[in-house]
Amino acid sequence: MSYIIVDGISKTFKVTKRNSGLKSALKSFFKREYVLIDAVKNISFEIEKGEIVGYIGPNGAGKSTTIKMLSGILLPTAGNIKVNGMNPFADRRKYVSNIGVVFGQRSQLAWDIPAEDTFDLLKDIYKLSDEKYEKNKSELVNLLDIGEIIKKPVRSLSLGQRMRCEIAASLLHDPKILFLDEPTIGLDAKSKKIVRDFILKINKERKVTVILTTHDMMDIDKLAKRIILIGKGQILYDGSLEKLKTKYGSYKKITINTKENISDIKLKGIISKEKIDNGYSFVIDSNIITISKFINYLSNRYSINDMDIDNEGIDDVILKLYQDYEI
Amino acid sequence: MFFESIKMNIKSQLEYKSSFIINSISQFFIFFTFYFMIIALFQKFNNIRGFTVYEVLLCFSIIQFGFAFTETFFRGIDRFEDLIIDGRLDRYLVRPRGILFQTLCSEIDLVKIFRIIQALIIMVIALIKLDITWNILKVMVLIFMMIASILIFFGLFVLTASYCFITVQGLEVKNLLTDGGKNLAQYPISIYRKGVVFVFTFIIPYGFINYYPLLYFLGKTNNILYLFSPFMVLLFLIPCLLSFKIGLKHYNSVGS
C-alpha cells in the first residue's frame, strides 16, 4: 500500500458574493449570496515513501488547496486521504507531528525576536527531548549554514536567510513528510542553491518524502523525478519529468533576426511562430523537421542577419503543457 | 509550552520599550474614568434600587476584572479574525496541539495587565468599605464570581471567534455581546427591564455570575443555591466550544 493515498478528493468553497457600496454591505449582512467554486475536483494520486514530487500548475489551479488538505488544514468536501494509515483532518494532532510544512509566503517565525527563540518554542510544542532537539538543531544549523543568523531578530534577516530558518523550523521535529509551498519564491541564486541542495540531502539521508509546489521550473528540474501537473482543479499529467522532457525535448527554439516580413510557412513540424522586436521566434519539433532543413527553407527565401538556436527549457515545456491543456 | 509562549510574547513586546511604557500608563489612567463616573453618579443618587455605591463598585470591578483578564491573556481569541486573515491559523493547524490552546498562547496583551490590577484595587477598596462579615462561604463565592467572570468572557470570545469561520465581516455582533453585555452587567441587573434581565440571565448568563452570587455575598439572601450560580457559566461554555469545533470544519483558509 502506498504511503500517501489521495482518493477522489474535491474541495468546494462557498464564496460570498457582494457588490461594493454601503447598501449592498448592509444587505449582505442579512442575506448572503453565495457562489460555489470548485478549487479541486476529484483528484487521485498515490505517493511512495521517499519520493520527491513536484506539484505544479498555474496560479489558482488548486495546488495550495491540495497541500492544505494533505496537511490536515482543510477538510475535503468529498473523497478520502490516507497518509501512513491516518486521516489528516480527523487524526490531525497525531498526524501533524509527522509532517513539516513550509509556506513560502507565510512565516512561522516570530517577527521581533531571534529565530532561535521560536525553535525553543517548537521544542515545547512538539514535546521534543533535550538531546533530540539539540542534535537536530545543530545538524540543521550546520546544513543550512544559519549559526549566526538564528541569533538575530527575524525582522532584520534577508528573505533568503529567513527562508533557511523557516525550513529548519519545519524540520526540528524530524518529520517523515515535508510539504513545501513555493520554498524558493523570491530567493537569490545562492539561497536557492542552498535550499535545493538541502532538500535533496534530507530526502536521501533521512528518507523524507517531499512534496513541493513551485513556479520555478529549476526547482523541479533539480529536485523532482516525478511531477503532478494540475490545472483548473484537475490532474492533467502525473508521471516522470524525463518522459515529459523527451516528449517535448525535441522542441527547439530558433530566433531569426531579419528585416523582412516572413509570411506563413507551409512546413510540417513548426509549433509556433512569434513576431519579436527585430525578427521572429520559432519553435520547431526537430523530430519532424530537421533544423538544417528549416533554416535552408528560410535562407532561400529571406535575408537573415543573425540567428540563434536554443533547447527549450523546462519552463517552456511546462508552458506548452499549459497550452496543450488550455489552462 | 504556555509559559514559553508568554516569555516570547513579553520579549517581543519589550522590543519596543517606550511604546510599552506609554501605553501602560495610559491604560492605567484611562480606565479610572469609568470608576469616577460611577462615583459621580452616586453623588446625585444615594442608591440605585437599593444598591449602594460600593456594592455597585464591587459588581463593576468583578466584571472589569474578568474582562481585563480575558483581554490580557486570551487576546489571541479576541483577535481571531487576524489569525484567519494572516494565515497563522494554518500554521497552528499543522502543529500537534489544540487550536484554542495555541491561540491562547499566541498573544498576550501585557499592557492590559494594568487594567486587571486596577480592577483588583477597586475591588479591594469596595470590600473594605462594605464591611463584610467574612466566612469561608463568602470567600468561596467571591472566587467563584471572579473565575466565572473570566470564563464568561472566554466563552463569548470563543463564540465570536467561531463566527469568524463563516465570515470575517460584521464583527459588530461581537461588540454587542461583549462590550454591550459587559457595560450592562457592570451594574446589578435588577435595575434593568425584564427583557434585558432575561437575555442577560438565560442567554448570556451574566446574571448568574454576577448578580445572584452578589446577593448572597452581600447578605441580601441566604439561599445557598445563589452561591453556586456562577457554575451556570459552564453550561454556557458548552455551545461556545461546540460552535468553535463546527466552525473549524468549515474553515476555508485564505489563498497564499
Side-chain angles (χ1 to χ4, degrees), chain A residues 158-174:
Chain A
S158 74
L159 189 59
Q161 292 171 330
R162 209 192 76 207
M163 184 54 70
R164 275 140 68 190
C165 294
E166 298 276 355
I167 291 176
S170 304
L171 285 164
L172 279 173
H173 58 290
D174 212 357

Side-chain angles (χ1 to χ4, degrees), chain B residues 37-81:
Chain B
M37 263 165 56
I38 293 185
I39 293 165
L41 199 67
F42 275 91
Q43 296 285 319
K44 283 262 182 205
F45 312 97
N46 265 329
N47 66 67
I48 300 178
R49 292 263 170 111
F51 288 93
T52 65
V53 61
Y54 292 108
E55 287 170 350
V56 171
L57 275 180
L58 180 64
C59 188
F60 195 98
S61 62
I62 286 169
I63 287 289
Q64 278 292 346
F65 166 77
F67 188 66
F69 188 96
T70 321
E71 277 215 310
T72 308
F73 292 102
F74 306 159
R75 186 173 169 76
I77 300 179
D78 189 20
R79 304 286 303 273
F80 199 74
E81 69 268 25

Side-chain angles (χ1 to χ4, degrees), chain A residues 241-294:
Chain A
L241 184 61
E242 288 310 312
K243 210 169 134 196
L244 204 62
K245 270 193 184 161
T246 36
K247 185 175 173 197
Y248 291 96
S250 56
Y251 285 21
K252 306 284 173 199
K253 188 176 181 178
I254 300 174
T255 316
I256 308 284
N257 187 337
T258 176
K259 287 199 177 65
E260 290 182 51
N261 232 343
I262 302 181
S263 53
D264 281 347
I265 301 168
K266 287 178 188 63
L267 283 175
K268 271 187 183 160
I270 294 165
I271 307 298
S272 74
K273 171 191 163 194
E274 195 188 341
K275 177 96 182 82
I276 52 172
D277 262 359
N278 38 25
Y280 290 86
S281 164
F282 293 92
V283 175
I284 64 164
D285 187 344
S286 59
N287 282 344
I288 300 172
I289 179 170
T290 59
I291 297 172
S292 58
K293 198 172 166 194
F294 177 72

Side-chain angles (χ1 to χ4, degrees), chain A residues 215-245:
Chain A
H215 287 289
D216 186 336
M217 291 311 152
M218 283 297 277
D219 287 350
I220 299 288
D221 212 11
K222 290 266 190 301
L223 295 172
K225 293 204 169 56
R226 171 179 167 196
I227 59 169
I228 296 175
L229 175 75
I230 177 175
K232 287 188 181 155
Q234 284 167 313
I235 290 182
L236 304 173
Y237 176 84
D238 178 355
S240 75
L241 184 61
E242 288 310 312
K243 210 169 134 196
L244 204 62
K245 270 193 184 161

Side-chain angles (χ1 to χ4, degrees), chain B residues 156 159-160 173-182 200 204 206:
Chain B
L156 284 170
L159 199 64
T160 46
V173 182
K174 166 194 185 159
N175 293 339
L176 193 74
L177 291 178
T178 48
D179 285 1
K182 184 195 75 181
F200 286 104
I204 305 170
Y206 281 116

